[in-house]
Short mmCIF file of all heavy atoms in Angstrom, two decimals:
data_model
loop_
_atom_site.label_atom_id
_atom_site.label_comp_id
_atom_site.label_asym_id
_atom_site.label_seq_id
_atom_site.Cartn_x
_atom_site.Cartn_y
_atom_site.Cartn_z
N ASP A 589 5.83 40.22 18.87
CA ASP A 589 7.28 40.22 18.82
C ASP A 589 7.68 38.95 18.08
O ASP A 589 7.39 37.83 18.51
CB ASP A 589 7.87 40.22 20.25
CG ASP A 589 9.37 40.45 20.27
OD1 ASP A 589 9.97 40.56 19.19
OD2 ASP A 589 9.94 40.53 21.39
N PHE A 590 8.34 39.10 16.94
CA PHE A 590 8.74 37.94 16.16
C PHE A 590 9.93 38.27 15.26
O PHE A 590 10.22 39.46 15.01
CB PHE A 590 7.59 37.39 15.32
CG PHE A 590 7.08 38.32 14.26
CD1 PHE A 590 7.50 38.23 12.94
CD2 PHE A 590 6.16 39.32 14.59
CE1 PHE A 590 7.00 39.09 11.96
CE2 PHE A 590 5.68 40.20 13.62
CZ PHE A 590 6.11 40.09 12.30
N VAL A 591 10.59 37.22 14.78
CA VAL A 591 11.78 37.37 13.93
C VAL A 591 11.49 36.73 12.61
O VAL A 591 10.91 35.64 12.52
CB VAL A 591 13.01 36.75 14.58
CG1 VAL A 591 14.21 36.75 13.63
CG2 VAL A 591 13.36 37.45 15.88
N MET A 592 11.93 37.39 11.51
CA MET A 592 11.73 36.84 10.17
C MET A 592 13.06 36.71 9.42
O MET A 592 13.83 37.66 9.41
CB MET A 592 10.76 37.77 9.40
CG MET A 592 10.32 37.19 8.06
SD MET A 592 8.89 38.11 7.42
CE MET A 592 9.63 39.72 7.09
N LYS A 593 13.26 35.55 8.87
CA LYS A 593 14.43 35.30 8.04
C LYS A 593 14.20 35.96 6.68
O LYS A 593 13.21 35.70 6.00
CB LYS A 593 14.64 33.78 7.88
CG LYS A 593 15.91 33.37 7.18
CD LYS A 593 15.98 31.85 7.16
CE LYS A 593 17.27 31.33 6.57
NZ LYS A 593 17.32 29.86 6.61
N MET A 594 15.14 36.79 6.26
CA MET A 594 14.96 37.57 5.04
C MET A 594 15.54 36.81 3.82
O MET A 594 16.44 35.98 3.95
CB MET A 594 15.66 38.91 5.17
CG MET A 594 15.09 39.77 6.29
SD MET A 594 13.38 40.24 6.03
CE MET A 594 13.51 41.38 4.63
N PRO A 595 15.05 37.11 2.63
CA PRO A 595 15.63 36.53 1.41
C PRO A 595 17.05 37.04 1.22
O PRO A 595 17.41 38.10 1.73
CB PRO A 595 14.72 37.03 0.29
CG PRO A 595 13.47 37.53 0.99
CD PRO A 595 13.89 37.98 2.33
N PRO A 596 17.86 36.29 0.48
CA PRO A 596 19.23 36.77 0.24
C PRO A 596 19.26 37.89 -0.79
O PRO A 596 18.29 38.06 -1.55
CB PRO A 596 19.94 35.51 -0.33
CG PRO A 596 18.82 34.77 -1.03
CD PRO A 596 17.59 35.01 -0.20
N VAL A 597 20.34 38.66 -0.80
CA VAL A 597 20.55 39.58 -1.91
C VAL A 597 21.31 38.84 -2.99
O VAL A 597 22.05 37.91 -2.71
CB VAL A 597 21.32 40.84 -1.46
CG1 VAL A 597 20.46 41.64 -0.50
CG2 VAL A 597 22.66 40.48 -0.84
N PRO A 598 21.16 39.20 -4.27
CA PRO A 598 21.79 38.45 -5.34
C PRO A 598 23.28 38.72 -5.49
O PRO A 598 24.02 37.91 -6.00
CB PRO A 598 21.04 38.92 -6.59
CG PRO A 598 20.48 40.24 -6.23
CD PRO A 598 20.20 40.21 -4.76
N ALA A 599 23.73 39.90 -5.01
CA ALA A 599 25.13 40.27 -5.15
C ALA A 599 25.55 41.18 -3.99
O ALA A 599 24.69 41.87 -3.41
CB ALA A 599 25.35 40.99 -6.49
N ASP A 600 26.82 41.15 -3.65
CA ASP A 600 27.31 42.04 -2.63
C ASP A 600 27.11 43.50 -3.05
O ASP A 600 27.27 43.86 -4.23
CB ASP A 600 28.80 41.81 -2.37
CG ASP A 600 29.11 40.45 -1.82
OD1 ASP A 600 28.14 39.71 -1.48
OD2 ASP A 600 30.30 40.10 -1.71
N GLY A 601 26.76 44.36 -2.09
CA GLY A 601 26.62 45.76 -2.42
C GLY A 601 25.80 46.48 -1.36
O GLY A 601 25.32 45.90 -0.40
N THR A 602 25.68 47.78 -1.55
CA THR A 602 24.90 48.63 -0.66
C THR A 602 23.46 48.69 -1.15
O THR A 602 23.19 48.96 -2.31
CB THR A 602 25.47 50.05 -0.58
OG1 THR A 602 26.83 49.97 -0.07
CG2 THR A 602 24.66 50.95 0.33
N TYR A 603 22.51 48.40 -0.25
CA TYR A 603 21.10 48.35 -0.58
C TYR A 603 20.30 49.20 0.41
O TYR A 603 20.65 49.30 1.61
CB TYR A 603 20.54 46.94 -0.51
CG TYR A 603 21.11 45.96 -1.51
CD1 TYR A 603 22.32 45.34 -1.30
CD2 TYR A 603 20.40 45.66 -2.67
CE1 TYR A 603 22.83 44.40 -2.21
CE2 TYR A 603 20.93 44.75 -3.62
CZ TYR A 603 22.12 44.14 -3.36
OH TYR A 603 22.62 43.23 -4.26
N GLU A 604 19.22 49.77 -0.07
CA GLU A 604 18.17 50.26 0.78
C GLU A 604 17.16 49.13 0.96
O GLU A 604 16.70 48.54 -0.02
CB GLU A 604 17.44 51.44 0.17
CG GLU A 604 18.08 52.78 0.41
CD GLU A 604 17.24 53.95 -0.06
OE1 GLU A 604 16.13 53.73 -0.60
OE2 GLU A 604 17.67 55.08 0.15
N ILE A 605 16.82 48.83 2.20
CA ILE A 605 15.77 47.84 2.48
C ILE A 605 14.52 48.63 2.84
O ILE A 605 14.53 49.44 3.77
CB ILE A 605 16.16 46.88 3.60
CG1 ILE A 605 17.49 46.19 3.28
CG2 ILE A 605 15.06 45.86 3.81
CD1 ILE A 605 17.95 45.24 4.36
N ARG A 606 13.44 48.40 2.12
CA ARG A 606 12.20 49.13 2.32
C ARG A 606 11.06 48.20 2.59
O ARG A 606 11.08 47.03 2.22
CB ARG A 606 11.88 49.95 1.03
CG ARG A 606 13.01 50.85 0.58
CD ARG A 606 12.81 51.23 -0.85
NE ARG A 606 13.83 52.11 -1.39
CZ ARG A 606 13.97 52.40 -2.68
NH1 ARG A 606 13.14 51.85 -3.57
NH2 ARG A 606 14.93 53.20 -3.07
N MET A 607 10.04 48.74 3.17
CA MET A 607 8.85 47.95 3.53
C MET A 607 7.61 48.71 3.06
O MET A 607 7.46 49.92 3.34
CB MET A 607 8.81 47.73 5.03
CG MET A 607 7.62 46.93 5.54
SD MET A 607 7.73 46.61 7.32
CE MET A 607 7.42 48.24 7.99
N GLY A 608 6.71 48.04 2.34
CA GLY A 608 5.46 48.65 1.95
C GLY A 608 4.56 48.82 3.15
O GLY A 608 4.41 47.90 3.96
N VAL A 609 3.95 49.98 3.31
CA VAL A 609 3.08 50.23 4.45
C VAL A 609 1.79 50.86 3.98
O VAL A 609 1.73 51.58 2.98
CB VAL A 609 3.74 51.14 5.51
CG1 VAL A 609 4.98 50.46 6.09
CG2 VAL A 609 4.13 52.51 4.90
N ALA A 610 0.69 50.60 4.69
CA ALA A 610 -0.59 51.26 4.49
C ALA A 610 -1.10 51.63 5.87
O ALA A 610 -1.87 50.91 6.51
CB ALA A 610 -1.58 50.34 3.76
N ASN A 611 -0.62 52.76 6.36
CA ASN A 611 -0.91 53.18 7.72
C ASN A 611 -2.37 53.54 7.91
O ASN A 611 -3.03 54.00 6.99
CB ASN A 611 -0.04 54.37 8.11
CG ASN A 611 1.44 53.99 8.24
OD1 ASN A 611 1.82 52.83 8.07
ND2 ASN A 611 2.27 54.98 8.53
N ASN A 612 -2.87 53.33 9.15
CA ASN A 612 -4.15 53.88 9.55
C ASN A 612 -4.21 53.95 11.06
O ASN A 612 -3.29 53.48 11.76
CB ASN A 612 -5.33 53.08 8.95
CG ASN A 612 -5.42 51.68 9.48
OD1 ASN A 612 -5.40 51.44 10.71
ND2 ASN A 612 -5.57 50.71 8.58
N ARG A 613 -5.25 54.56 11.59
CA ARG A 613 -5.31 54.81 13.01
C ARG A 613 -5.39 53.57 13.90
O ARG A 613 -5.19 53.64 15.11
CB ARG A 613 -6.53 55.70 13.33
CG ARG A 613 -6.55 57.06 12.62
CD ARG A 613 -5.38 57.96 13.00
NE ARG A 613 -5.50 59.29 12.39
CZ ARG A 613 -4.53 60.17 12.33
NH1 ARG A 613 -3.34 59.86 12.83
NH2 ARG A 613 -4.72 61.35 11.77
N ALA A 614 -5.70 52.40 13.26
CA ALA A 614 -5.81 51.17 14.05
C ALA A 614 -4.48 50.45 14.19
O ALA A 614 -4.40 49.44 14.89
CB ALA A 614 -6.81 50.23 13.40
N ARG A 615 -3.43 50.94 13.58
CA ARG A 615 -2.13 50.28 13.61
C ARG A 615 -1.43 50.52 14.96
O ARG A 615 -2.05 50.93 15.93
CB ARG A 615 -1.27 50.77 12.44
CG ARG A 615 -1.89 50.65 11.07
CD ARG A 615 -1.99 49.23 10.59
NE ARG A 615 -2.22 49.16 9.15
CZ ARG A 615 -3.17 48.47 8.55
NH1 ARG A 615 -4.02 47.77 9.30
NH2 ARG A 615 -3.30 48.47 7.26
N SER A 616 -0.14 50.27 14.98
CA SER A 616 0.63 50.40 16.21
C SER A 616 1.99 51.00 15.91
O SER A 616 2.31 51.30 14.75
CB SER A 616 0.82 49.03 16.86
OG SER A 616 1.62 48.21 15.99
N MET A 617 2.78 51.18 16.94
CA MET A 617 4.19 51.55 16.77
C MET A 617 5.01 50.27 16.78
O MET A 617 4.74 49.35 17.57
CB MET A 617 4.65 52.47 17.87
CG MET A 617 4.02 53.86 17.85
SD MET A 617 4.67 54.94 19.14
CE MET A 617 6.34 55.21 18.55
N VAL A 618 5.99 50.19 15.89
CA VAL A 618 6.82 49.01 15.79
C VAL A 618 8.28 49.36 15.86
O VAL A 618 8.74 50.33 15.22
CB VAL A 618 6.51 48.20 14.50
CG1 VAL A 618 6.73 49.08 13.25
CG2 VAL A 618 7.34 46.94 14.43
N GLN A 619 9.05 48.59 16.64
CA GLN A 619 10.49 48.73 16.65
C GLN A 619 11.07 47.62 15.77
O GLN A 619 10.73 46.44 15.95
CB GLN A 619 11.03 48.59 18.07
CG GLN A 619 12.55 48.69 18.16
CD GLN A 619 13.07 50.06 17.78
OE1 GLN A 619 12.79 51.07 18.46
NE2 GLN A 619 13.80 50.17 16.67
N ILE A 620 11.90 48.00 14.79
CA ILE A 620 12.48 47.05 13.87
C ILE A 620 13.97 46.88 14.17
O ILE A 620 14.67 47.87 14.39
CB ILE A 620 12.28 47.49 12.41
CG1 ILE A 620 10.79 47.61 12.09
CG2 ILE A 620 12.94 46.49 11.45
CD1 ILE A 620 10.49 48.07 10.68
N TYR A 621 14.43 45.63 14.18
CA TYR A 621 15.82 45.29 14.38
C TYR A 621 16.31 44.51 13.15
O TYR A 621 15.55 43.73 12.57
CB TYR A 621 16.04 44.42 15.61
CG TYR A 621 15.43 44.98 16.91
CD1 TYR A 621 14.08 44.85 17.18
CD2 TYR A 621 16.25 45.59 17.84
CE1 TYR A 621 13.55 45.37 18.36
CE2 TYR A 621 15.73 46.09 19.03
CZ TYR A 621 14.36 45.96 19.28
OH TYR A 621 13.84 46.44 20.46
#
Side-chain angles (χ1 to χ4, degrees):
D589 189 357
F590 64 98
V591 174
M592 189 164 67
K593 187 177 184 179
M594 298 297 290
V597 293
D600 295 353
T602 299
Y603 295 83
E604 276 188 357
I605 304 179
R606 306 161 179 168
M607 180 175 72
V609 296
N611 291 358
N612 66 49
R613 301 297 186 195
R615 306 288 196 231
S616 65
M617 293 183 69
V618 57
Q619 179 66 65
I620 300 179
Y621 306 79

